[in-house]
Amino acid sequence: MKADPKNVLTGAHYLDGNHACAEGAISAGCKFFAGYPITPSTEIAERFARRIPLLDGVFIQMEDELASMAAILGASWGGARSMSCTSGPGFSLMMENFGLGIMLETPCVLVNVQRGGPSTGLPTLPGQADMMQARWGSHGDYEVIALAPDSPQESYELAIHAFNLSEKYRMPILIMTDECVGHMTEKVVIPPAEEIELLERKYTDKKPGEAWPFEWNGNGQPPMLPVGKGYKFHITGLTHDYRGYPIINAEAQGENVSHLVDKVRNNVDDIIWLEERDIEGADVIMMAYGISSRVMQPAIARAKKEGIKIGQIKMVTVWPFPEKRVRELAEKAKALIMVEMNFGQVYYEMERMAAGKCRTYLVGHAGGTVHDPENIYKVIKEAAK
Amino acid sequence: MNTKPVNQESQAAEEHHPMENLLRMDRIPHIWCSTCGIGTTVTALAAALEQLKLDLNKVTVVSGIGCTGRVAGYMKLDSFHTTHGRALPFAFGLHIARPDMKTIVFSGDGDLISIGGNHFIHTARRNANITVICVNNFIYAMTGGQVAPTTPISAKSATSPYGNYERPFNLPLLAASSGATYVARWTALHIRRLTTAIKEAITKPGFSFVEVIAPCSTLYARLNKLGTGLDLMKFYHDNSVIRHGIDPREADIDFQSKIIVGKFVDIEKPTYLECLNNGNKKAFGDKYRPYGGVNGNK
């Protein structure tokens, strides 16, 4: 399905990451946005609120983030493409119903414009310290898909990609951006609608009475059932069987949760998106995501000039973690370096996959500003020894 | 227990549950204790839906967590069992996507008013076209009988073992002052009046609220030595005083005393979606197409 031209502001614009993200969602046909104001994410909600009345959709400012996340799940089951945005404190509140979205296998998109934490932290300054919360923030076992844009252009593109992934894998998708990308203004080129490919929701082709909401068959995701068409289906956040009926025993738990985990783990090659440069023959390989992947460029250029064989991987998807690729690279490189605005989150996944085959380094800090390239350079020098 | 052998095939052919078109018969028996008031309330909803002759494909039930939260699982409708307290915002999103459907939230007092209290007042304030049926048994039953924001003063619970000393919410007052267009309270034994109230609530545009005072036979009755569930159900019924149209401020509930029941609010007010469309019409004039859900304008 192509994007609806009515929704697409084709042309070159000068937008910040948050506005671009909202435009991406609108291009993707998002018709329902429920959110609660929180710095530094609010511009996404504001842009959506301004644009949506003439595009047959609804923006609603809910009473809190608990309600926002619940509402986008309800809207998605009603048939609307839906999304919300937030930052750290709101992300904590949304974890409850994010888990419901995982359990009900509900397509929707949630954007976290990360700021410094913990608690109220640094409302106006960047952080990348919610990455493990994105992975494990709601209780129980499950897998997530998280994308990290590094620019307004990518904020636009990944918003569309997130909606497509949400339909493909029938689950909420996270966009883990940050204050820096959210408030950075750059050129954003929005393509013509006919160049934007959208994945339509897969509904059952069975008749009412014959279809169930979670028909896991190991062959792609179970199609959804539409409301209002006589299917009279039931879904629950309790552990359930393919019928959506609660079944409280270990066997049902095994089947239900295995599906939630396997739908990501069995499709990592399709989901994982890495941008690699100069990996062949590199002694030192840098890894980063979001704004940190841009901040490390001056340090990499300087190291290169000095003859250090250095490659880099920008992780467009952070979750699922590219385990296989990092294992391979750890066999070839002398050192792997993770640059992120926290004291070690995604780094530990990299270290775990390196499994002692090469040295690993973290360039981390508490957030509040991006890295000083000098600090990144120092770690590269150390790693290249 | 009847252990007499029966010819199951012929019995199945003869016996039909009178509500089987509205119940998931493959999920019966339900989990509720005998003489719990939730069953009669479900019966009242089923009767109301039958009598209104609504297209059952276009009716949806959303519940939260708790004993009453299980209602969604037993109704043969598109039905959603969500998180604790969040039935209303989930239902709100569903309603906005599909305003052509009737959205009913059926849950308990702890779910709707304690953990979900903020959502309750705001959904009422917005006057979203949602009907809320709240079974109030004065206690957290599913988790073992803990004190609730509806527990009357001096009533005992697992976490108020010496008697509750917190002032409870008066739910009709809370609903009315938050903006509900329809507010009624009945007991679980007022089957006919309760059915009528649910019918009126469902047909009322906007946020409608029906509170149902129901016995919790296993916990509230036992912890407070109030006899069996049936004794308590009868006590609530016999001690109710019908006072239609009174100021809901007069409808406080004290421990084992008179219970004011009746219809307290029945007013006309533009719904959330009417307000949204009117507001956008004002802002955009003829450029604006009234919002009618994901299926377009209705």
Side-chain angles (χ1 to χ4, degrees):
Chain A
M1 178 177 76
K2 303 290 179 198
D4 181 347
K6 221 172 48 174
N7 299 333
V8 182
L9 287 184
T10 302
H13 304 263
Y14 196 50
L15 295 177
D16 73 19
N18 284 345
H19 285 84
C21 181
E23 280 306 324
I26 293 167
S27 290
C30 179
K31 295 292 179 203
F32 183 86
F33 190 119
Y36 187 82
I38 184 165
T39 307
S41 76
T42 315
E43 295 83 3
I44 303 176
E46 290 171 353
R47 177 92 177 189
F48 201 91
R50 270 210 305 280
R51 292 264 287 128
I52 206 64
L54 295 181
L55 297 174
D56 303 319
V58 169
F59 167 82
I60 166 110
Q61 185 168 311
M62 296 299 284
E63 53 272 22
D64 56 30
E65 288 90 347
L66 303 161
S68 304
M69 190 67 214
I72 69 171
L73 299 180
S76 181
W77 278 96
R81 284 182 186 239
S82 62
M83 82 177 297
S84 188
C85 72
T86 190
S87 189
F91 199 54
S92 293
L93 293 182
M94 287 183 174
M95 284 297 108
E96 177 196 51
N97 287 300
F98 180 77
L100 180 66
I102 292 283
M103 197 61 157
L104 298 183
E105 303 190 52
T106 308
C108 60
V109 172
L110 172 57
V111 186
N112 178 354
V113 187
Q114 293 175 87
R115 65 194 222 185
S119 189
T120 313
L122 297 169
T124 58
L125 298 173
Q128 288 182 316
D130 304 346
M131 297 311 297
M132 275 297 169
Q133 187 185 18
R135 177 67 190 85
W136 296 112
S138 200
H139 53 279
D141 240 342
Y142 56 94
E143 289 279 344
V144 296
I145 300 177
L147 312 170
D150 72 351
S151 64
Q153 180 70 42
E154 217 173 61
S155 297
Y156 173 83
E157 289 164 5
L158 291 188
I160 296 171
H161 185 56
F163 274 97
N164 283 343
L165 285 171
S166 79
E167 297 296 347
K168 185 167 190 180
Y169 291 103
R170 203 183 139 176
M171 63 190 286
I173 303 295
L174 295 168
I175 299 179
M176 298 297 291
T177 180
D178 60 76
E179 186 277 334
C180 212
V181 171
H183 288 159
M184 164 200 295
T185 300
E186 288 182 337
K187 185 176 171 184
V188 174
V189 178
I190 297 183
E194 66 265 24
E195 288 174 21
I196 300 171
E197 196 59 50
L198 299 179
L199 208 57
E200 256 175 296
R201 178 161 303 178
K202 201 167 92 192
Y203 282 115
T204 185
D205 48 18
K206 293 184 187 171
K207 289 202 255 332
E210 295 170 3
W212 301 98
F214 304 102
E215 291 185 57
W216 308 302
N217 54 15
N219 182 22
Q221 300 318 309
M224 288 180 78
L225 304 188
V227 296
K229 301 255 194 226
Y231 288 91
K232 297 180 181 169
F233 63 89
H234 179 62
I235 55 171
T236 173
L238 285 165
T239 295
H240 47 261
D241 62 9
Y242 68 99
R243 299 172 299 176
Y245 291 179
I247 309 282
I248 309 303
N249 63 38
E251 195 189 345
Q253 173 77 353
E255 191 184 14
N256 190 166
V257 180
S258 296
H259 172 73
L260 300 180
V261 169
D262 289 347
K263 70 171 163 182
V264 174
R265 288 191 187 170
N266 294 344
N267 292 293
V268 288
D269 292 338
D270 178 57
I271 298 164
I272 290 173
W273 179 355
L274 305 174
E275 288 179 9
E276 301 187 350
R277 271 152 69 185
D278 309 320
I279 295 296
E280 208 44 55
D283 290 331
V284 176
I285 295 172
M286 310 287 295
M287 294 187 76
Y289 52 91
I291 190 63
S292 299
S293 65
R294 292 176 75 172
V295 173
M296 70 183 180
Q297 296 311 321
I300 292 173
R302 191 168 153 196
K304 238 185 209 160
K305 230 182 252 171
E306 292 175 12
I308 296 173
K309 287 185 195 156
I310 186 165
Q312 57 174 296
I313 297 176
K314 184 183 90 171
M315 306 165 73
V316 180
T317 51
V318 179
W319 306 123
F321 187 75
E323 299 187 349
K324 199 171 73 185
R325 186 63 179 144
V326 174
R327 269 201 207 100
E328 285 166 10
L329 295 174
E331 300 273 1
K332 296 174 185 166
K334 284 186 191 159
L336 298 174
I337 301 175
M338 177 68 70
V339 184
E340 55 182 345
M341 265 188 281
N342 57 52
F343 284 126
Q345 292 196 10
V346 185
Y347 163 74
Y348 287 112
E349 288 297 280
M350 184 185 82
E351 185 193 44
R352 190 166 67 88
M353 288 306 124
K357 298 277 167 52
C358 73
R359 284 174 284 131
T360 59
Y361 296 85
L362 165 69
V363 192
H365 74 85
T369 178
V370 295
H371 287 81
D372 180 348
E374 182 66 26
N375 293 338
I376 301 173
Y377 170 76
K378 279 182 196 155
V379 177
I380 295 173
K381 287 292 276 184
E382 172 69 25
K385 274 182 192 165
Chain B
M1 205 163 124
N2 182 7
T3 52
K4 218 165 53 178
V6 289
N7 181 335
Q8 291 191 340
E9 243 172 55
S10 70
Q11 193 183 39
E14 288 158 19
E15 286 190 19
H16 287 281
H17 191 291
M19 284 158 56
E20 69 180 9
N21 65 324
L22 268 157
L23 292 181
R24 296 182 195 281
M25 295 309 291
D26 53 349
R27 291 214 56 214
I28 303 295
H30 55 68
I31 61 159
W32 298 310
C33 309
S34 71
T35 72
C36 160
I38 299 170
T40 57
T41 311
V42 170
T43 304
L45 172 61
L49 292 174
E50 294 261 278
Q51 290 168 23
L52 288 172
K53 297 192 173 18
L54 294 182
D55 176 0
L56 296 179
N57 291 350
K58 303 281 188 217
V59 180
T60 174
V61 170
V62 183
S63 294
I65 299 297
C67 291
T68 319
R70 289 301 192 95
V71 167
Y74 298 118
M75 300 295 293
K76 200 166 25 165
L77 298 165
D78 290 339
S79 61
F80 302 87
H81 184 220
T82 64
T83 38
H84 198 20
R86 320 300 168 215
L88 271 169
F90 187 101
F92 181 71
L94 184 61
H95 160 61
I96 297 302
R98 292 301 301 267
D100 55 316
M101 294 178 69
K102 179 64 210 180
T103 303
I104 299 168
V105 168
F106 200 136
S107 221
D109 51 305
D111 183 72
L112 283 164
I113 307 300
S114 184
I115 189 167
N118 198 29
H119 313 309
F120 183 80
I121 60 174
H122 282 279
T123 317
R125 173 181 66 80
R126 293 184 188 107
N127 199 27
N129 192 13
I130 292 173
T131 295
V132 176
I133 299 169
C134 174
V135 173
N136 181 1
N137 55 12
F138 305 126
I139 206 160
Y140 280 86
M142 179 74 88
T143 47
Q146 294 80 20
V147 71
T150 46
T151 307
I153 297 271
S154 85
K156 286 182 178 155
S157 78
T159 48
S160 60
Y162 311 111
N164 172 44
Y165 42 77
E166 285 189 24
R167 275 171 53 87
F169 263 133
N170 166 341
L171 304 191
L173 174 61
L174 185 66
S177 55
S178 302
T181 52
Y182 182 94
V183 178
R185 174 198 280 157
W186 295 101
T187 79
L189 208 50
H190 285 97
I191 305 287
R192 189 174 52 82
R193 294 178 189 276
L194 176 59
T195 305
T196 302
I198 293 174
K199 274 159 62 180
E200 289 178 353
I202 287 174
T203 38
K204 185 86 200 174
F207 187 88
S208 51
F209 178 69
V210 180
E211 180 187 15
V212 187
I213 303 300
C216 168
S217 48
T218 303
L219 293 154
Y220 190 76
R222 183 172 56 81
L223 291 169
N224 288 289
K225 301 191 167 50
L226 301 174
T228 66
L230 274 186
D231 293 338
L232 193 51
M233 194 180 286
K234 190 160 186 322
F235 177 88
Y236 291 153
H237 180 267
D238 294 349
N239 284 277
S240 62
V241 181
I242 300 176
R243 291 185 62 193
H244 291 301
I246 57 143
D247 184 336
R249 271 178 288 201
E250 295 171 36
D252 281 352
I253 295 178
D254 295 323
F255 184 59
Q256 294 301 99
S257 64
K258 295 284 175 204
I259 294 172
I260 308 284
V261 295
K263 178 164 77 176
F264 308 127
V265 177
D266 191 353
I267 55 171
E268 309 293 323
K269 217 162 61 167
T271 65
Y272 174 80
L273 279 179
E274 284 165 355
C275 293
L276 175 141
N277 279 327
N278 291 341
N280 282 336
K281 187 88 191 151
K282 253 188 226 165
F284 296 103
D286 290 342
K287 272 200 294 184
Y288 181 70
R289 280 206 315 174
Y291 174 78
V294 291
N295 284 353
N297 308 309
K298 289 259 157 61

